[in-house]
Amino acid sequence: MASDDLAGALAAVLGGRGLRVQSYDSGPAGETPAQVRLRKNVCYVVLAVFLNEQDEVLLIQEAKKECRGSWYLPAGRMEPRETIVEALQREVKEEAGLQCEPLTLLSVEERGPSWIRFVFLARPTGGILKTPKEADAESLQAGWYPRTSLPTPLRAHDILHLIELAAQYRQQARHPLLLPQELPCSLVCQRLVATFTSVQTVWVLVGTVGMPHLPITSCGFAPIEQRGGIKVAVLRLLQECLTLHHLAVETKGLLGLQHLGKDQTDGICLNVLVTVAFRNPGIQNEPPKVRGENFFWWKVVEEDLQSQLLQRLQESSVVPINR
């Protein structure tokens, strides 16, 4: 991949459009990456936050035995062969009675690669709000409640942060609107936009095996990767080409999400923005030395791409990834 092709790939990822996953640069030691299967080795959850013009939030009343009568945001597990958006729309229809349209991904939450939750800001497009007369195994009812005066008991208080995140986004969008791209993937993996900056110059780490490309790291399902979360796979790839003990590495957040769900391809690719910096910068104006021949630092010279990267980095203009 020539410099123009790298620039095109970077532009696609920064624009949230994504790229097909052809192979990966780093995988868990001693572990052949397992093909991902919902209900077998991964669980994906979708959750929707709705806020209306009266600053009310849509909540559903749980019907499940262990939390019956408590309130929560519309949410549920994805089913095999669904896209992420299809799963979200199904759960909202089942639990709240409404058709909906997702507006943007708000947050990604993970407990290791085997459990990932996708949180969306959404808006209703039709349907009739579920009443107690329509109570079923999915929910007892749904209703709009003032954001500052929610009904009790809540099933869990983790939704309070998500509701505030949605309200803040509506007031001032921290990142561009972002929706999943329907691209097939057989693994849980991450495509790194790993950056090093100096003054107003940005370098991006590039993999060289095959054509030059933005590197991809496959997440493992061994206990150590489950406990450490998906950041373990990022550190593993960087450790294979950089000396990390004198470097600070930070995953800033998500630039894009790729998933298809058809034809038994339940994998996902998270396109993540990562910073690499010297712990004691001093007068270091060049990126850290790369070991081996499988990676190199590419200096971004296109002004538009450089300014986009700097803006995303300085403003943390990414979807947060939380544990």
Side-chain angles (χ1 to χ4, degrees):
M1 189 182 286
S3 180
D4 287 349
D5 294 326
L6 279 172
L10 181 57
V13 171
L14 287 174
R17 299 190 298 279
L19 300 163
R20 287 184 76 100
V21 175
Q22 308 289 358
S23 60
Y24 59 91
D25 299 273
S26 175
E31 182 184 339
T32 302
Q35 201 162 43
V36 173
R37 289 285 183 269
L38 280 166
R39 293 185 171 178
K40 292 184 179 178
N41 55 5
V42 294
C43 173
Y44 303 147
V45 176
V46 290
L47 180 147
V49 185
F50 294 83
L51 290 170
N52 64 18
E53 295 304 315
Q54 289 74 46
D55 199 29
E56 294 172 323
V57 60
L58 178 68
L59 295 179
I60 62 97
Q61 192 173 33
E62 296 283 8
K64 293 188 286 291
K65 182 179 179 181
E66 63 271 19
C67 54
R68 187 177 179 87
S70 61
W71 295 86
Y72 206 66
L73 293 168
R77 296 183 180 186
M78 283 179 58
E79 301 289 348
R81 306 185 73 83
E82 283 185 314
T83 68
I84 295 173
V85 169
E86 286 171 349
L88 184 81
Q89 291 171 330
R90 174 184 55 77
E91 286 291 346
V92 171
K93 184 71 172 69
E94 289 174 352
E95 295 190 345
L98 302 179
Q99 282 101 36
C100 75
E101 174 190 22
L103 300 175
T104 185
L105 194 62
L106 276 179
S107 171
V108 171
E109 301 170 330
E110 54 97 4
R111 300 174 190 166
S114 64
W115 190 94
I116 300 176
R117 183 163 75 171
F118 307 106
V119 178
F120 288 89
L121 177 64
R123 71 178 186 91
T125 58
I128 299 173
L129 202 62
K130 193 173 192 176
T131 68
K133 288 183 179 181
E134 287 99 39
D136 56 20
E138 299 295 338
S139 66
L140 301 179
Q141 62 176 315
W144 292 94
Y145 293 92
R147 181 166 61 90
T148 56
S149 182
L150 300 180
T152 56
L154 296 178
R155 190 185 100 188
H157 286 261
D158 61 338
I159 63 172
L160 298 177
H161 164 70
L162 301 178
I163 293 168
E164 289 309 304
L165 191 65
Q168 291 166 13
Y169 190 90
R170 286 214 319 174
Q171 186 173 13
Q172 183 175 5
R174 180 178 172 181
H175 55 80
L177 295 173
L178 182 66
L179 292 173
Q181 298 297 297
E182 294 185 4
L183 291 168
C185 185
S186 62
L187 308 168
V188 175
C189 62
Q190 297 170 82
R191 176 181 285 111
L192 274 57
V193 178
T195 61
F196 177 87
T197 59
S198 175
V199 194
Q200 291 296 301
T201 306
V202 186
W203 287 264
V204 171
L205 190 69
V206 170
T208 62
V209 176
M211 297 294 286
H213 59 276
L214 297 173
I216 291 177
T217 181
S218 171
C219 297
F221 292 91
I224 187 171
E225 299 224 4
Q226 289 297 332
R227 288 194 301 269
I230 62 173
K231 69 179 182 182
V232 171
V234 172
L235 293 173
R236 182 195 342 108
L237 182 144
L238 294 177
Q239 202 159 25
E240 290 168 4
C241 62
L242 302 173
T243 303
L244 293 187
H245 68 81
H246 65 295
L247 299 175
V249 175
E250 180 185 2
T251 297
K252 302 294 285 186
L254 196 70
L255 294 166
L257 169 63
Q258 302 175 199
H259 170 269
L260 184 59
K262 309 298 183 183
D263 302 319
Q264 297 182 325
T265 55
D266 292 329
I268 58 168
C269 179
L270 305 170
N271 296 322
V272 295
L273 182 61
V274 176
T275 58
V276 177
F278 289 103
R279 293 185 186 278
N280 301 303
I283 56 171
Q284 299 278 6
N285 293 322
E286 298 287 327
K289 183 177 175 58
V290 172
R291 298 195 309 271
E293 300 178 351
N294 291 343
F295 301 91
F296 71 92
W297 288 105
W298 168 53
K299 187 175 182 178
V300 181
V301 295
E302 292 80 356
E303 288 187 12
D304 181 54
L305 285 178
Q306 189 181 91
S307 64
Q308 280 189 64
L309 271 172
L310 288 170
Q311 181 260 330
R312 292 292 197 105
L313 290 165
Q314 289 163 2
E315 299 177 14
S316 293
S317 179
V318 287
V319 174
I321 302 173
N322 299 310
R323 271 183 70 70

